[in-house]
Amino acid sequence: MKSCITISAIQQPCNADRQSNLQLSIDKISEAAAAGAELAVLPELHLGSYFCQSEDNGNFQLAEAIPGPTTKIFADLADRLNIVIVASLFEKRAPGLYHNTAVVFEKDGSIAGRYRKMHIPDDPGYHEKYYFTPGDPGFCPISTSVGRLGVLICWDQWFPEAARLMALAGAEILIYPTAIGWDPLDSEEEKNIQIEAWLTIQRAHAIANGIPVLACNRTGFEPSPSGQSGIAFWGSSFIAGPQGEFLQRADPAESRLLLCDIDRRKTETVRQIWPYLRDRRIDSYQGLNSRYLD
Amino acid sequence: MKSCITISAIQQPCNADRQSNLQLSIDKISEAAAAGAELAVLPELHLGSYFCQSEDNGNFQLAEAIPGPTTKIFADLADRLNIVIVASLFEKRAPGLYHNTAVVFEKDGSIAGRYRKMHIPDDPGYHEKYYFTPGDPGFCPISTSVGRLGVLICWDQWFPEAARLMALAGAEILIYPTAIGWDPLDSEEEKNIQIEAWLTIQRAHAIANGIPVLACNRTGFEPSPSGQSGIAFWGSSFIAGPQGEFLQRADPAESRLLLCDIDRRKTETVRQIWPYLRDRRIDSYQGLNSRYLD
């Protein structure tokens, strides 16, 4: 396996027209492949509008099986372009059992693995607990021809535990397909604090574990179905190196293909200098399995 | 207990003259108290030069019992100024058994508690595993009249587990007495990456747990006893709010008293909006107690 690879993140807007979203994704993945990328990551639930702004029974119609019609499209694309793709789908696992799932396609079009979102949010505008059953495969990296991918999804990005478990299981990079944005009613100061927090905590996962991080967010404003407010997805996708240093960043509002070379060997060098894995006090971490220590 | 308090961090240089270091600490704590601070935090091992640059048997002479002569000085000071003090000492616990220990003094001069550094580094210039036995009390906040203090020490700041365990045990603020700096031989780019990583990971502990963070580092250059190189302690002490937002920051090279008001109530508000404690997957975190998952 090569130590240096070119990776990419596709920051794109999404809307209710699934075909146009899909075509934009395909165009951008093709562009990434033409530029030499061996890995392309799409934002969370990139096929459509972010339907979790409301609890609407009709939205369960959007779910599909894996493998299914959409995975067939991405499998063919991965094979044709000889690129590893991380897509994000609303998975129908069984009647009445749905997940928020990332699917990783190998360069030959086979499915390398899937990750079912473990941490499920539920906040005004993000009613995910209504739609998505919490994932049950745990935190398992997906082995591919470009390395072991620590694929997590959006809300997972706020939990250092998830990043650490992926790293301990051998992940060589953390990947976060994401759909997060601002409430337009928030102040500019609050918006700035929120996006800074989002960048900071994910860069910290790189730092704590000595591996790169790729976060791929959607962009654009999507009104709420209620007609009141909506979400201004804040883009700002980025790729950071194993010391948390920014390698590539997108602005909040742009449709953008991020491309970046990373060198797998750097993780070992960084971990030798910053040997956190050596010094973890695993004799004293039992409390992490508790809800609260009162 | 009041919800708003004024807290302070004393960024100071330290040298081989213990009496002058101590006098500077006392002067600055007095200044903080006069300005209304109810909590003052000193850097790690502030009594002297950072002796861990070399492995020298003679340095064990620097260790002292707790309580002992130095705690008597800080106890009297806390009582006289009516302020909570976090000091950092080289503790002699038993013959041949030493710790890197933070001591918290209550406003009445009593010892509220102590924390023995759990994660011990060992790198060129930081030979702490030679001197310090890893702490054994675990991650227990210290209850004081200004709240429950999650006191950790320096190297602990790189471990999200430590911050999380303190938060789960009820810590209302994370406090890091620190002695960290640059190798003057490193490039400016590498120095910048390192200090950014240090700021980022500690701000991330605030974000992940919804509590403020105070980091108090020493400043100034201390040559290595070998005469080769040394450490340029990078100062940059800071206080961040529960979303990781900077409230106060010092520059790398200045001797500086940081003063800041924090409002304990903000933690509950922030945690309601960003409810990570609600959504932790404690059914799936067992791997955190493992060295590696291979």
Side-chain angles (χ1 to χ4, degrees):
Chain A
M1 202 180 289
K2 290 189 299 182
S3 73
C4 291
I5 54 167
T6 303
I7 64 176
S8 67
I10 291 153
Q11 174 169 307
Q12 67 173 83
C14 307
N15 57 47
D17 181 355
R18 289 163 71 91
Q19 195 50 47
S20 76
N21 299 328
L22 190 57
Q23 192 56 53
L24 180 56
S25 299
I26 291 169
D27 292 348
K28 290 294 174 182
I29 293 170
S30 304
E31 193 181 324
E38 296 184 64
L39 170 70
V41 179
L42 293 168
E44 185 182 19
L45 300 169
H46 46 82
L47 283 185
S49 303
Y50 181 70
F51 57 84
C52 312
Q53 286 204 59
S54 67
E55 298 192 358
D56 179 346
N57 184 268
N59 285 331
F60 287 109
Q61 300 290 339
L62 300 169
E64 58 181 302
I66 297 173
T70 301
T71 63
K72 175 77 168 67
I73 293 168
F74 283 106
D76 291 348
L77 186 69
D79 183 30
R80 179 162 62 80
L81 298 175
N82 196 40
I83 190 170
V84 174
I85 298 172
V86 180
S88 167
L89 302 175
F90 183 16
E91 179 186 10
K92 178 174 177 172
R93 184 177 182 182
L97 183 59
Y98 308 88
H99 292 286
N100 185 330
T101 302
V103 188
V104 179
F105 300 90
E106 191 40 274
K107 289 177 180 176
D108 63 3
S110 61
I111 290 181
R114 79 183 82 184
Y115 167 77
R116 293 179 174 128
K117 189 172 182 174
M118 291 285 287
H119 299 95
I120 308 294
D122 200 279
D123 305 293
Y126 300 83
H127 299 282
E128 296 199 15
K129 288 192 196 297
Y130 175 70
Y131 294 105
F132 308 128
T133 301
D136 53 1
F139 304 95
C140 306
I142 295 169
S143 291
T144 73
S145 58
V146 295
R148 289 199 276 184
L149 309 184
V151 178
L152 295 159
I153 302 174
C154 201
W155 192 235
D156 292 321
Q157 65 210 176
W158 300 97
F159 297 82
E161 292 92 342
R164 178 70 93 202
L165 285 163
M166 281 293 189
L168 293 181
E172 295 174 278
I173 179 173
L174 296 170
I175 293 174
Y176 294 96
T178 298
I180 192 169
W182 292 301
D183 179 342
L185 302 177
D186 273 335
S187 69
E188 289 305 308
E189 182 190 4
E190 175 62 23
K191 286 179 184 172
N192 188 52
I193 287 174
Q194 289 181 7
I195 199 165
E196 264 290 304
W198 182 79
L199 295 167
T200 299
I201 200 162
Q202 290 179 94
R203 292 172 65 203
H205 302 329
I207 296 161
N209 297 293
I211 51 179
V213 168
L214 181 157
C216 184
N217 191 20
R218 67 170 68 193
T219 185
F221 178 74
E222 297 182 24
S224 165
S226 70
Q228 296 181 324
S229 194
I231 302 174
F233 291 96
W234 68 44
S236 305
S237 302
F238 70 92
I239 301 169
Q243 292 174 284
E245 72 279 19
F246 282 118
L247 300 175
Q248 286 283 317
R249 295 178 70 173
D251 286 334
E254 62 182 342
S255 186
R256 171 90 184 272
L257 168 64
L258 291 180
L259 273 166
C260 184
D261 294 334
I262 59 168
D263 184 348
R264 224 190 306 267
R265 286 172 301 198
K266 205 172 168 199
T267 287
E268 185 154 16
T269 314
V270 165
R271 283 184 180 168
Q272 286 171 359
I273 299 171
W274 300 96
Y276 312 130
L277 296 193
R278 179 192 70 188
D279 290 338
R280 295 177 67 244
R281 288 294 303 270
I282 57 172
D283 60 310
S284 301
Y285 289 168
Q286 297 84 350
L288 295 170
N289 301 307
S290 296
R291 184 64 67 208
Y292 200 69
L293 298 167
D294 49 5
Chain B
M1 202 181 288
K2 290 190 298 182
S3 74
C4 291
I5 55 167
T6 303
I7 64 176
S8 67
I10 291 153
Q11 174 169 306
Q12 67 173 83
C14 308
N15 57 47
D17 180 356
R18 290 162 73 89
Q19 194 49 46
S20 77
N21 299 327
L22 190 58
Q23 192 56 53
L24 180 56
S25 299
I26 291 169
D27 291 348
K28 291 294 175 181
I29 294 171
S30 303
E31 193 181 323
E38 296 184 65
L39 170 70
V41 179
L42 293 168
E44 185 183 18
L45 301 171
H46 46 82
L47 282 185
S49 303
Y50 181 69
F51 56 85
C52 312
Q53 286 204 61
S54 66
E55 298 193 358
D56 179 346
N57 184 268
N59 285 332
F60 287 109
Q61 300 292 340
L62 299 169
E64 57 181 301
I66 297 173
T70 301
T71 62
K72 174 76 168 66
I73 293 169
F74 283 107
D76 290 349
L77 186 69
D79 182 31
R80 179 161 63 80
L81 298 174
N82 197 39
I83 190 170
V84 173
I85 298 172
V86 180
S88 167
L89 301 176
F90 183 16
E91 179 187 8
K92 178 174 179 172
R93 185 177 181 181
L97 183 58
Y98 308 88
H99 292 287
N100 184 330
T101 302
V103 188
V104 179
F105 300 89
E106 190 41 275
K107 289 178 179 175
D108 63 3
S110 61
I111 290 180
R114 80 182 81 184
Y115 167 77
R116 292 181 175 127
K117 189 172 184 175
M118 289 287 286
H119 299 95
I120 308 294
D122 199 279
D123 306 293
Y126 300 83
H127 299 280
E128 296 200 14
K129 288 194 197 295
Y130 175 71
Y131 294 105
F132 308 129
T133 301
D136 54 0
F139 303 96
C140 306
I142 295 170
S143 291
T144 72
S145 58
V146 294
R148 287 199 278 185
L149 310 185
V151 178
L152 295 159
I153 302 174
C154 201
W155 192 236
D156 292 321
Q157 64 209 177
W158 301 96
F159 297 81
E161 293 92 342
R164 179 71 94 201
L165 285 164
M166 280 292 189
L168 293 180
E172 295 174 277
I173 179 173
L174 296 171
I175 293 173
Y176 294 96
T178 298
I180 191 169
W182 291 301
D183 178 343
L185 301 177
D186 273 336
S187 69
E188 288 306 308
E189 182 191 4
E190 175 62 24
K191 286 179 185 173
N192 187 52
I193 286 175
Q194 290 182 6
I195 198 165
E196 265 290 304
W198 182 78
L199 296 167
T200 299
I201 200 161
Q202 292 179 92
R203 292 172 64 203
H205 302 330
I207 295 161
N209 297 294
I211 51 178
V213 168
L214 180 158
C216 184
N217 191 19
R218 67 170 68 192
T219 185
F221 178 74
E222 298 181 24
S224 164
S226 71
Q228 296 182 325
S229 195
I231 302 174
F233 291 96
W234 69 42
S236 305
S237 302
F238 69 93
I239 301 169
Q243 292 174 284
E245 73 279 19
F246 283 118
L247 300 175
Q248 285 284 317
R249 295 178 69 174
D251 286 334
E254 63 182 340
S255 186
R256 172 91 184 272
L257 168 64
L258 292 180
L259 273 166
C260 183
D261 294 334
I262 60 167
D263 184 349
R264 223 189 307 266
R265 285 172 302 199
K266 204 170 170 201
T267 286
E268 185 154 19
T269 314
V270 166
R271 283 184 179 167
Q272 285 171 0
I273 299 172
W274 300 96
Y276 312 130
L277 296 193
R278 180 192 70 187
D279 290 339
R280 294 177 68 243
R281 288 294 303 271
I282 56 171
D283 60 311
S284 301
Y285 290 168
Q286 296 84 351
L288 296 170
N289 301 307
S290 296
R291 183 65 67 207
Y292 201 68
L293 298 167
D294 49 5

